[in-house]
Amino acid sequence: QVQLQESGPGLVKPSGTLSLTCAVSGGSISSSNWWSWVRQPPGKGLEWIGEIYHSGSTNYNPSLKSRVTISVDKSKNQFSLKLSSVTAADTAVYYCTLVRGVITNWGQGTLVTVSS
Amino acid sequence: EIVMTQSPATLSVSPGERATLSCRASQSVSSNLAWYQQKPGQAPRLLIYGASTRATGIPARFSGSGSGTEFTLTISSLQSEDFAVYYCQQYNNWPLRTFGQGTKVEIK
């Protein structure tokens, strides 16, 4: 069973860059799957941020594309999210996920607050 | 972008009763529709994919139907552990996988 674990700062200053890493265990990030990030503002719904394949191919939500970078580190079996120029609207629980057509596995999520 | 609209926003149901949740797509997504369940403080969990196929370990009281633009999630007899928020998601318009805004199923 593939398990995912997010890590990174829980507090980011406005205009700064949010950086999160997702460690994958119980499976290889080089498998034929996509790996994605989804976020959920407090009390609100889910928003797909983007995804990456082990080859490095990426797809991003057009609404965030100018600020998002997702990368993969096969040697560490992990992938990462960077979101630049953050504002309070980026405060959310961020989930890393495994995509097999649909999202089959989710990390527990990590709350990132944007505040000075 | 395909917009997914769920109704109602909140559904009040008594334990043992049937719950019917709706999800509408702004354009056809064929059968590329999934349902997720999210309990407070937890990550979502996949319930249904392909509009009607239950994910591994999902009880038979959960069923999905529909195709094109209209979809339904039915919980035949609500158990206490089923009170949660349910989201639909289309994955036809890959790679932009859009979610509905959610339906909260609460105890009546």
Side-chain angles (χ1 to χ4, degrees):
Chain A
Q1 172 77 332
V2 174
Q3 295 187 315
L4 305 152
Q5 179 65 59
E6 305 90 350
S7 62
L11 181 64
V12 181
K13 293 187 186 311
S15 78
T17 297
L18 179 159
S19 296
L20 296 174
T21 296
C22 181
V24 178
S25 59
S28 172
I29 204 163
S30 296
S31 59
S32 300
N33 301 303
W34 289 82
W35 306 88
S36 79
W37 290 94
V38 174
R39 70 179 182 178
Q40 184 172 38
K44 296 188 178 180
L46 301 165
E47 180 180 33
W48 177 77
I49 299 171
E51 62 187 10
I52 191 164
Y53 199 67
H54 62 79
S55 63
S57 294
T58 54
N59 297 300
Y60 298 132
N61 188 325
S63 68
L64 298 169
K65 188 173 184 177
S66 63
R67 299 194 291 131
V68 173
T69 302
I70 297 176
S71 59
V72 65
D73 186 336
K74 288 185 281 187
S75 67
K76 294 182 178 179
N77 216 39
Q78 64 186 33
F79 62 107
S80 299
L81 168 70
K82 290 188 185 298
L83 181 65
S84 63
S85 304
V86 297
T87 70
D90 295 309
T91 293
V93 174
Y94 286 76
Y95 296 101
C96 59
T97 79
L98 165 59
V99 184
R100 293 169 169 155
V102 292
I103 298 175
T104 56
N105 300 73
W106 299 71
Q108 65 183 27
T110 187
L111 174 63
V112 179
T113 301
V114 179
S115 175
S116 55
Chain B
E1 175 182 339
I2 298 178
V3 177
M4 307 301 293
T5 303
Q6 292 185 241
S7 62
T10 302
L11 185 61
S12 298
V13 185
S14 299
E17 288 189 341
R18 182 186 195 91
T20 302
L21 290 67
S22 295
C23 176
R24 174 177 293 179
S26 60
Q27 63 189 75
S28 177
V29 298
S30 187
S31 294
N32 295 313
L33 190 284
W35 290 94
Y36 300 88
Q37 176 194 67
Q38 186 178 33
K39 297 179 181 179
Q42 297 184 15
R45 173 177 72 145
L46 178 65
L47 294 177
I48 301 282
Y49 62 93
S52 60
T53 302
R54 281 189 301 278
T56 303
I58 301 304
R61 64 180 181 272
F62 291 92
S63 63
S65 64
S67 66
T69 62
E70 300 283 344
F71 300 89
T72 300
L73 174 69
T74 301
I75 311 171
S76 60
S77 176
L78 271 159
Q79 306 297 303
S80 58
E81 62 267 30
D82 300 335
F83 292 97
V85 180
Y86 293 83
Y87 294 94
C88 63
Q89 182 205 29
Q90 68 81 21
Y91 52 99
N92 189 67
N93 189 33
W94 184 85
L96 184 51
R97 314 167 194 271
T98 45
F99 293 93
Q101 80 280 19
T103 291
K104 181 180 181 181
V105 177
E106 64 176 23
I107 300 174
K108 186 174 182 180

